[in-house]
Amino acid sequence: MRKISCILIAALLSLTLAGCGNSESYDYMNYVGTASDGMLNYSVESFVAPEEDMLQESSELEQPTEEVDLSRKLVYTYDISAEASDVSEMRTRITNRVQELGGYISDDNFYESYDGRESWNAVIRIPTEHREELSDYISVDTRVTRSNISVDDVTLKYADNEARLNVEKAAYEEYERLLEYTTSAEELVMIRNEMYDIQANIDSYETTLRYLQNDIDYTKFNINIDETRLGINEERNLGSAFIIAW
């Protein structure tokens, strides 16, 4: 369209000046041809290129000004069953080690069965960066009979709750601005009710994020340690050996 417009303008100018003389018209047509070529070149270089520059500048402006946290948000859970010759001692040692690593025990059950066998069940929370240290510590002085590690990726769940929280906070701020310009008692009541509902949603999302963050920061250990006892076959073999020796 730009090329056609330039040619039409040049043709109209040449017809307008044609009455001034053939020689002048001829010279001006040659000039118009040169000028039109220049206009066409200008239209390509000066109109298209700036648009590309504007697009480039626009894309630069659209770049995020803050770094986006792309790290995965993972929740680790350890399930460990083990045997120890002295369960009470292992309980004390593991408890002390947990405290040294900055963790805590959220559930602690120590009991003795009808046959006198001691057992200890506990739920331990340990800073995620120290989870391997505690796992290695437990396996050193016990005989681990079962060990399982599960990993739950909560990145999307965390991001979704965080986004919803930001939306609710923005809506709450908008209603606060409306209160400044509202004079009707009925409208004031409606706005207040909306703000109460929004605040409830904000509290819910913040609670969910706190729980998720705690699970991310503190790895959960489900520990079950039983007292080591001789099996039935071993007891029979021991008894047989005693009889033979007698």
Side-chain angles (χ1 to χ4, degrees):
M1 288 298 292
R2 291 171 182 165
K3 182 175 181 180
I4 294 173
S5 300
C6 292
I7 294 173
L8 289 175
I9 293 171
L12 289 173
L13 288 173
S14 64
L15 291 174
T16 303
L17 296 173
C20 297
N22 293 333
S23 60
E24 294 179 1
S25 175
Y26 177 79
D27 293 338
Y28 187 77
M29 285 298 295
N30 290 336
Y31 173 77
V32 169
T34 304
S36 65
D37 293 339
M39 291 178 67
L40 290 175
N41 291 334
Y42 180 80
S43 66
V44 172
E45 297 175 0
S46 301
F47 286 89
V48 177
E51 289 177 358
E52 294 176 352
D53 293 339
M54 291 176 64
L55 289 174
Q56 183 177 359
E57 292 176 1
S58 176
S59 63
E60 292 176 354
L61 292 175
E62 292 175 359
Q63 295 298 324
T65 56
E66 298 181 359
E67 293 184 1
V68 179
D69 184 11
L70 299 178
S71 60
R72 310 302 297 176
K73 296 187 179 297
L74 306 177
V75 175
Y76 295 90
T77 303
Y78 284 64
D79 293 295
I80 299 177
S81 297
E83 291 183 347
S85 57
D86 192 335
V87 176
S88 180
E89 180 185 355
M90 283 304 304
R91 177 193 183 194
T92 301
R93 291 173 58 183
I94 291 176
T95 300
N96 292 337
R97 185 57 177 163
V98 167
Q99 293 175 351
E100 292 173 0
L101 295 174
Y104 61 94
I105 298 178
S106 60
D107 192 14
D108 190 336
N109 297 297
F110 182 84
Y111 56 92
E112 185 175 324
S113 62
Y114 66 93
D115 60 351
R117 188 178 182 184
E118 295 180 342
S119 295
W120 179 49
N121 297 325
V123 177
I124 299 172
R125 292 283 189 172
I126 200 77
T128 298
E129 61 268 23
H130 298 308
R131 65 185 188 278
E132 293 297 337
E133 295 180 50
L134 181 61
S135 178
D136 293 340
Y137 185 84
I138 294 173
S139 62
V140 168
D141 294 325
T142 64
R143 187 176 75 86
V144 176
T145 57
R146 178 180 175 273
S147 179
N148 180 67
I149 303 173
S150 62
V151 182
D152 186 14
D153 190 339
V154 298
T155 305
L156 294 179
K157 184 177 181 181
Y158 191 98
D160 179 67
N161 278 271
E162 195 171 38
R164 292 175 185 271
L165 174 62
N166 292 334
V167 170
E168 294 291 345
K169 285 184 175 180
Y172 191 89
E173 292 176 359
E174 290 297 327
Y175 277 108
E176 282 184 325
R177 295 190 186 97
L178 285 176
L179 284 177
E180 299 177 1
Y181 302 99
T182 303
T183 57
S184 170
E186 183 179 355
E187 292 178 353
L188 283 173
V189 172
M190 292 177 61
I191 292 174
R192 292 288 187 186
N193 290 336
E194 289 292 334
M195 292 178 69
Y196 290 147
D197 292 339
I198 293 174
Q199 185 61 54
N201 292 335
I202 290 175
D203 294 340
S204 176
Y205 291 132
E206 287 180 340
T207 300
T208 300
L209 287 174
R210 282 196 297 270
Y211 275 113
L212 287 174
Q213 193 61 55
N214 184 71
D215 289 341
I216 294 167
D217 294 338
Y218 286 85
T219 294
K220 181 180 180 181
F221 278 76
N222 297 313
I223 304 296
N224 179 33
I225 299 179
D226 296 321
E227 183 180 352
T228 303
R229 298 294 293 272
L230 292 175
I232 296 176
N233 293 331
E234 292 177 338
E235 290 179 349
R236 289 177 177 176
N237 293 335
L238 181 61
S240 300
F242 178 77
I243 293 174
I244 293 174
W246 179 260

